[in-house]
Amino acid sequence: MILYNVPISNFGAKVQVALALKGLDAEQRLPPDGYSSEKYKQIIPTGTVPAIVDGDLVLSESETILEYLEERYPLPALLPKDIAARASVRMLSRFHDLKLEPSLRTLFKHMAPSIRDPLIVSEKHAEFTRHMEMLIRFGHFRPYIAGSEITFADCGFAPTFLLATAMFRALELSFEFPKPLQIWHETLQKNVAVSGVLDNYAETVETWINFKLSQ
Ligand SMILES: N[C@@H](CCC(=O)N[C@@H](CS)C(=O)NCC(=O)O)C(=O)O
């Protein structure tokens, strides 16, 4: 399997966490000429990362990739057996992709002080905080986001919170990690597969932020 990714992508890290949890190896490649390039679109039509190629299958969209990995490589399972619990995992994971993460993504282009718009920064920080509060209300955190077992709902949130913590610190904005999330984070760190991916990702994030702050 080939995983097309760029090291700073939190959606790429989400797929890496899922691969690590399943004990799967993928050859990691950078998109030729960068994502969105014509050359890359000849391989991955959406031009986005992350994307995988597994035999004849070409797949983009992190959530679809996780669903595919779960069906193709069912063990260890990252979805619970119970139908209602599976639905909760999917809902939480989509909440990450479609609600929480996009407020952070908007801030990527405001990390460089020279082109920062303080109004957008403060709006998106408030939006992210509201979504965090929402998550605390409907997440389970016993001890994972969706319940007692690690699931693919944990895969997206872990890199995004790491990124958010570093970005808000660099922007000198408050970002309180609520208690249930602190416990969740400590539990995840004890998982060697997850912490291996997150440690590498933390280094990439730090380098990226230092570069942005110098611009
Ligand atoms: N919904 C996508 C989002 C991935 C995403 O936004 N990737 C960015 C890089 S981090 C990208 O490929 N951007 C290029 C584009 O959207 O054309 C997923 O879950 O995989």
Side-chain angles (χ1 to χ4, degrees):
M1 194 189 315
I2 299 165
L3 170 63
Y4 285 96
N5 190 25
V6 293
I8 191 58
S9 170
N10 50 329
F11 282 109
K14 168 181 163 183
V15 172
Q16 286 173 328
V17 171
L19 287 167
L21 284 168
K22 285 192 172 286
L24 295 169
D25 267 336
E27 183 197 327
Q28 312 249 349
R29 287 193 196 169
L30 292 170
D33 293 350
Y35 57 69
S36 303
S37 69
E38 282 313 310
K39 199 166 177 187
Y40 182 49
K41 282 183 191 160
Q42 282 168 20
I43 310 166
I44 307 292
T46 58
T48 57
V49 289
I52 61 162
V53 178
D54 195 17
D56 289 340
L57 177 71
V58 174
L59 210 55
S60 38
E61 287 302 318
S62 60
E63 198 68 359
T64 315
I65 295 170
L66 263 57
E67 290 278 3
Y68 167 72
L69 294 177
E70 186 66 7
E71 293 196 346
R72 173 68 72 201
Y73 309 97
L75 293 177
L78 292 180
L79 279 175
K81 283 203 179 68
D82 176 71
I83 290 177
R86 292 165 88 85
S88 285
V89 168
R90 291 186 165 115
M91 189 268 289
L92 284 159
S93 199
R94 282 177 71 82
F95 178 80
H96 165 268
D97 290 5
L98 303 177
K99 287 282 187 196
L100 186 87
E101 201 276 347
S103 335
L104 196 66
R105 177 160 298 269
T106 310
L107 291 176
F108 291 177
K109 53 181 174 293
H110 298 274
M111 291 310 291
S114 56
I115 50 167
R116 184 175 300 161
D117 180 336
L119 195 64
I120 293 183
V121 169
S122 118
E123 272 173 18
K124 291 294 158 185
H125 174 245
E127 189 177 87
F128 189 87
T129 306
R130 277 199 307 279
H131 285 141
M132 284 280 290
E133 287 162 2
M134 236 181 253
L135 173 68
I136 298 300
R137 285 200 297 277
F138 66 68
H140 296 256
F141 305 103
R142 294 191 300 265
Y144 296 108
I145 284 192
S148 60
E149 300 298 324
I150 198 160
T151 66
F152 71 55
D154 298 289
C155 301
F157 286 106
T160 295
F161 284 133
L162 189 157
L163 182 61
T165 306
M167 284 173 66
F168 289 135
R169 191 185 304 128
L171 291 165
E172 297 178 1
L173 288 167
S174 66
F175 179 60
E176 289 292 318
F177 223 51
K179 187 88 178 168
L181 278 178
Q182 280 173 28
I183 296 165
W184 165 78
H185 183 71
E186 283 158 19
T187 311
L188 271 191
Q189 285 296 334
K190 287 183 199 139
N191 183 306
V192 183
V194 178
S195 66
V197 174
L198 293 185
D199 289 351
N200 281 338
Y201 188 58
E203 276 179 34
T204 303
V205 167
E206 194 187 332
T207 308
W208 176 74
I209 287 193
N210 288 336
F211 171 67
K212 287 288 173 187
L213 290 180
S214 71
Q215 290 182 318

